[in-house]
Amino acid sequence: MLTIKNLSKTYADGTAALKGINLSLPTGMVGLLGPNGAGKSTLLRTLACIQSPDTGSIVFNGTNTLELPSALRDQLGYLPQYFGVYPNMSCFALLEYFAVLKGMTDKSSTRAQINELLELTNLKEVAKKKVTNFSGGMRQRFGIAQALLGNPNLIIMDEPTAGLDPAERDRLHDLLVTISKNKLVLLSTHIVEDIENLCHHVALINSGQIIEHGTVQSLITPLEGKVWLTNSSPGDKANILSKRYQYGRPYFRVHSDLAPDSTAKALAPTLQDRYFLELASKSVVEGEARHV
Ligand code: ADP
Ligand code: MG
């Protein structure tokens, strides 16, 4: 269990990236969903004790991690959003190197674990190849392998699916489901589908604030009976959640208490509907603020 209280961070240039974040997260796969610039990476770096907040506290399984970062690091695996430059080393050698940095001193058990992780991440056959030459998907899987070294209980992954093709993303989903048993895996993304595929629990973040969090179902339920599909552009009273074309004809997905027109069809709401609704209401508020 991870409990975050009143976490705030303003960067030196005045950007308020986190504005009083409060969250309690259970074990399992948890999603942090928000658009670019929402504050996801800032929050995850802070949770991984890589940067300090201005205010707030973080408690993981009874440990106050800001007071005792070393106690957290023993339990932490972290995959940053940008997994830097790779030295001229083979996949296996680089994992051995990361294991030393994590304080794993016993060579033979380290090697045994690296072999297991290579199997799990499907990198066994390229263990002797240089990571510099890996494809995007292979690098992400390598990043996950290094995050899992030392068998951590808290795994933080910042946009692990970004830049992957659909087949690579599916493989990564399989891997994440496998590793999330009895651990807290916190995964950030701006892709709603990642959350729908993987997470039972989700926190929506925008402009440095948690807008909503809970089980995915609890976020969808309030929209039951209020999402409609229509061909005609709805009036002011309805929120357009999304617009798509089929054979050149527009389709609007609309949020409205009542049917927006006589041809509108009721739809089962999705997490994407809730996400778009929250982002739309936020931009309305910002739009109004700009006119003041
Ligand atoms: P996300 O990961 O959701 O895209 P970030 O946490 O990277 O969001 O960024 C949140 C906000 O903080 C953005 O406005 C971003 O420009 C700003 N930001 C991030 N890192 C820094 C930094 N080192 N210095 C100043 N501003 C930053
Ligand atoms: Mg980010």
Side-chain angles (χ1 to χ4, degrees):
M1 173 70 102
L2 181 70
T3 309
I4 302 165
K5 286 204 180 126
N6 195 28
L7 208 62
S8 294
K9 173 76 182 177
T10 299
Y11 286 109
D13 65 358
T15 306
L18 301 178
K19 304 173 190 162
I21 301 270
N22 290 294
L23 261 182
S24 272
L25 302 177
T27 304
M29 188 94 83
V30 175
L32 181 66
L33 176 63
N36 288 332
K40 301 182 296 297
S41 294
T42 303
L43 177 57
L44 296 188
R45 282 196 301 267
T46 310
L47 294 177
C49 292
I50 284 169
Q51 75 183 52
S52 304
D54 300 332
T55 67
S57 69
I58 302 167
V59 175
F60 178 63
N61 287 348
T63 304
N64 184 325
T65 69
L66 296 173
E67 285 170 7
L68 257 184
S70 59
L72 175 78
R73 282 196 194 106
D74 292 343
Q75 305 186 63
L76 174 76
Y78 173 56
L79 175 66
Q81 183 170 6
Y82 302 106
F83 199 69
V85 179
Y86 298 93
N88 197 19
M89 283 163 90
S90 77
C91 172
F92 198 99
L94 201 48
L95 285 173
E96 277 188 310
Y97 175 75
F98 281 124
V100 170
L101 293 184
K102 279 202 170 178
M104 297 166 65
T105 46
D106 184 86
K107 259 201 159 162
S108 68
S109 66
T110 298
R111 287 193 168 164
Q113 197 192 17
I114 290 175
N115 279 320
E116 274 172 31
L117 290 174
L118 290 172
E119 191 92 56
L120 182 71
T121 52
N122 201 15
L123 289 172
K124 197 149 203 157
E125 282 173 14
V126 290
K128 296 210 170 103
K129 299 247 155 68
K130 286 178 183 159
V131 180
T132 336
N133 300 329
F134 279 8
S135 70
M138 289 157 83
R139 283 186 188 202
Q140 283 307 61
R141 281 183 277 132
F142 172 82
I144 290 169
Q146 69 72 32
L148 294 178
L149 281 166
N151 204 16
N153 294 319
L154 174 61
I155 299 167
I156 294 177
M157 300 194 174
D158 199 353
E159 308 231 13
T161 61
L164 300 185
D165 67 35
E168 283 175 331
R169 196 185 296 167
D170 283 350
R171 276 201 294 274
L172 190 66
H173 285 171
D174 274 343
L175 174 60
L176 294 176
V177 170
T178 311
I179 63 171
S180 66
K181 309 255 154 49
N182 307 320
K183 294 168 189 286
L184 172 51
V185 180
L186 179 58
L187 152 128
S188 84
T189 184
H190 60 271
I191 302 166
V192 182
E193 211 189 327
D194 285 341
I195 309 282
E196 286 173 337
N197 288 341
L198 295 172
C199 301
H200 60 94
H201 200 100
V202 64
L204 301 185
I205 182 171
N206 198 12
S207 301
Q209 289 170 310
I210 300 295
I211 307 169
E212 199 58 71
H213 75 104
T215 62
V216 172
Q217 196 50 50
S218 74
L219 266 68
I220 296 174
T221 303
L223 298 192
E224 291 297 346
K226 297 183 181 175
V227 177
W228 308 87
L229 188 71
T230 176
N231 286 122
S232 30
S233 180
D236 288 347
K237 287 204 184 70
N239 276 313
I240 298 176
L241 298 169
S242 55
K243 180 181 179 184
R244 293 222 175 85
Y245 287 94
Q246 198 172 23
Y247 310 119
R249 226 176 143 199
Y251 281 85
F252 300 91
R253 239 180 129 93
V254 167
H255 176 251
S256 170
D257 284 345
L258 300 172
D261 61 69
S262 58
T263 63
K265 263 192 355 198
L267 296 176
T270 63
L271 181 63
Q272 176 127 314
D273 292 329
R274 180 67 196 259
Y275 180 55
F276 285 165
L277 183 65
E278 296 299 341
L279 294 188
S281 58
K282 181 73 180 66
S283 59
V284 169
V285 172
E286 280 180 351
E288 279 170 1
R290 271 199 296 277
H291 293 299
V292 173

